[in-house]
Amino acid sequence: MKREAEAAVDQRSCNSFFTLGVSSVMLEIHWQAQLRRVMRPDDANIVGNVHGGTILKMIEEAGGIISTRHCNTQPGDRCVAALARVERTDFLYPMFIGEVAHVSAEITYTSKHSVEVQVNVLAENILTGAKKVTNKATLWYVPFSLQNVDKIIEVPPIEYTNQEQEEEGKKRYEAQKMERLETKERNGEKIWPVISPGTFTVGFSQSSLIHLVGPSDCTLLGFVHGGVTMKLMDEVAGIVAARHCKTNIVTASVDAINFHRKIKKGCILTVSGRMTFTSKKSMEIEVFVDADNLVEADKGNYRAVTAFFTYISLDKEGKPLPVPPLKLENEEEQKRSEEGEARYLQNKAKRLSEKEQQK
C-alpha cells in the first residue's frame, strides 16, 4: 500500500513536471523544489560561458513549479502561477558547458494573492565534484484561474518558523509592490533606430529582436513563461554589450525585472535594448519588451516587461577587461547615464556592506 501511494505521488510530480514544460530532473519536498541539468553547447556562448538567460529560465521554471503546486493544494479553482517580478539577481560566478546546474527553490512568504520564492543555483564540476554558488534570486508569482484567466486565486498561507520571519516577508512584499508602481512611470519610453551612429554611442550598440509567441513558449493558460521572456531579454542585452565591446561578455547581474502585463500566445514580441551607463569594467543595458496582439489588433501594442542588465567584458583567460566609455550625445542620454551611475554606486555600496557583514 505504501509503495502504491509513493508511486502515485511520483506520477503526480511527473505530470506537473512535464505539463509545465521542464526538461530537467526535479525533486520536491513540501515547499521546496530542485532542478538539475547538464549545461550543453547550445546553452552557452562561443567561449563556453553559459548564457545568463539560460540560468534565468531555469530559475523561473523551478519557481513556477513550486508556486503552481502550492497554490493548488487547496480546494476550488485550479490555477497556474504567473511570474510578476524578479528581484535583483547577481551572477556570482560563470557557469560552463559540461557543468551540472543545481537549482533549488523554496517558498518563503505568501500574501493573499502572491507567492515569494527564493532560488539558489549551484554549478557542479562533475569531473572534480567541486560546487560553487552562482546565483541567488527572489521571484514573485501570482496565481490565475484555469477557468477564468483574468481571475486571481487566493494563495494558501504557509507556516512560518517564527513571527519575525513573517514580518520580514511582509516588508519585502510591500517594498516590491511600491517599486513595481514606480517602474510603470518609464513605460512610455521607446527605443528608436539611429541612422549612421558613431562608434561607442548609444545608437551604435542598441539592438532589437522580434519573436512570435508559440505554444511551446506558454503555460496552460496560453501566456508566455516568464523564463522564456527573460531569456530573450538576456539575448538582446548580450548583443548590445558585445557590439559595444567587441569581446567576450557575460551577464554580471540583473536589476529587478517587472512583468507589467501578461503576454498571450500569438503575440509578436519586440525586445529592445540600449546602453545606459558604463563604468570602467561594466555596462548597464536597459531592456524593454513590447507585445503586439495579432488576434486583437484593435487593442494595440503595450509594454509588458522592463529591466536593467549589467554585463562585464572578459579576456581569453576569463579576467575582466576595461570597457570603452559610452559617448553621450544629448540630454536624455546624459540623464539616463546619471541614473545608471546612481544604481551602480548604490549596488556597489550594498555589495561592500554585505562583505563586511560576512567577516
Side-chain angles (χ1 to χ4, degrees):
M1 188 71 180
K2 183 179 178 182
R3 288 184 178 179
E4 291 178 358
E6 290 175 347
V9 171
D10 289 341
Q11 185 60 49
R12 286 197 298 272
S13 296
C14 287
N15 288 344
S16 300
F17 175 70
F18 287 110
T19 298
L20 288 167
V22 181
S23 58
S24 312
V25 175
M26 187 190 116
L27 304 174
E28 184 272 334
I29 303 174
H30 301 300
W31 298 319
Q32 299 179 350
Q34 291 185 353
L35 299 179
R36 296 174 182 170
R37 184 160 73 77
V38 176
M39 296 293 97
R40 303 181 299 266
D42 57 347
D43 295 317
N45 62 19
I46 57 176
V47 182
N49 299 122
V50 173
H51 292 297
T54 299
I55 298 172
L56 288 171
K57 190 170 184 290
M58 290 189 68
I59 288 173
E60 197 279 327
E61 286 172 349
I65 289 171
I66 193 173
S67 300
T68 298
R69 178 178 282 117
H70 175 69
C71 293
N72 283 288
T73 55
Q74 62 184 357
D77 288 352
R78 301 297 87 189
C79 63
V80 170
L83 184 62
R85 176 180 167 89
V86 182
E87 302 294 349
R88 176 181 171 83
T89 305
D90 290 311
F91 290 73
L92 306 175
Y93 296 98
M95 194 178 296
F96 299 94
I97 295 171
E99 291 187 323
V100 176
H102 298 257
V103 184
S104 59
E106 180 179 5
I107 294 176
T108 49
Y109 180 76
T110 56
S111 68
K112 185 177 181 180
H113 292 122
S114 65
V115 180
E116 180 193 54
V117 180
Q118 302 279 356
V119 182
N120 290 324
V121 182
L122 291 173
E124 177 191 1
N125 185 319
I126 57 178
L127 299 179
T128 65
K131 294 181 180 179
K132 58 187 177 185
V133 177
T134 62
N135 300 81
K136 293 183 178 181
T138 302
L139 301 87
W140 293 89
Y141 288 84
V142 176
F144 290 90
S145 168
L146 285 174
Q147 303 300 320
N148 180 359
V149 296
D150 294 321
K151 179 183 177 182
I152 299 176
I153 302 297
E154 287 194 16
V155 176
I158 62 171
E159 296 180 5
Y160 301 97
T161 306
N162 50 55
Q163 188 174 357
E164 183 180 356
Q165 184 186 20
E166 183 176 7
E167 289 175 354
E168 288 298 319
K170 188 174 182 180
K171 288 180 182 178
R172 295 192 299 271
Y173 167 75
E174 295 295 340
Q176 65 86 27
K177 186 177 179 181
M178 183 66 67
E179 287 184 15
R180 278 176 54 80
L181 292 174
E182 292 174 354
T183 306
K184 287 185 177 181
E185 295 179 4
R186 299 177 64 92
N187 280 358
E189 294 190 38
K190 299 289 184 180
I191 298 179
W192 304 104
V194 178
I195 300 173
S196 302
T199 308
F200 303 132
T201 62
V202 174
F204 179 77
S205 59
Q206 70 179 36
S207 304
S208 294
L209 180 153
I210 309 298
H211 179 76
L212 175 63
V213 177
S216 63
D217 297 323
C218 298
T219 66
L220 294 172
L221 293 175
F223 296 113
V224 177
H225 282 289
V228 171
T229 307
M230 290 192 292
K231 192 172 187 297
L232 292 171
M233 295 173 76
D234 181 73
E235 288 179 10
V236 167
I239 293 171
V240 173
R243 279 181 168 173
H244 184 78
C245 287
K246 303 295 183 182
T247 60
N248 177 36
I249 47 87
V250 294
T251 313
S253 65
V254 185
D255 272 15
I257 304 176
N258 291 287
F259 292 76
H260 305 291
R261 292 178 62 180
K262 298 190 292 292
I263 303 170
K264 292 183 179 180
K265 179 174 63 178
C267 281
I268 292 179
L269 298 185
T270 302
V271 188
S272 305
R274 66 183 172 196
M275 194 81 67
T276 54
F277 168 74
T278 57
S279 68
K280 291 182 179 179
K281 293 185 178 180
S282 68
M283 300 160 276
E284 183 190 71
I285 296 108
E286 185 175 27
V287 182
F288 297 139
V289 179
D290 295 313
D292 190 2
N293 196 322
L294 295 180
V295 179
E296 301 173 343
D298 57 312
K299 294 185 177 181
N301 63 357
Y302 58 90
R303 180 62 45 79
V305 193
T306 55
F308 290 97
F309 285 69
T310 297
Y311 277 76
I312 57 175
S313 174
L314 301 177
D315 63 17
K316 293 181 179 178
E317 283 72 43
K319 296 180 180 179
L321 287 170
V323 172
L326 181 64
K327 293 181 180 179
L328 305 173
E329 299 182 300
N330 53 55
E331 291 183 3
E332 288 186 5
E333 292 178 0
Q334 182 66 43
K335 180 183 177 182
R336 288 197 296 267
S337 180
E338 290 172 356
E339 292 172 348
E341 184 177 16
R343 285 187 291 269
Y344 167 77
L345 294 174
Q346 182 180 15
N347 291 326
K348 185 177 180 179
K350 184 179 178 181
R351 288 196 303 270
L352 291 174
S353 176
E354 290 173 349
K355 285 183 179 180
E356 287 296 324
Q357 292 175 2
Q358 292 172 359
K359 289 182 179 179

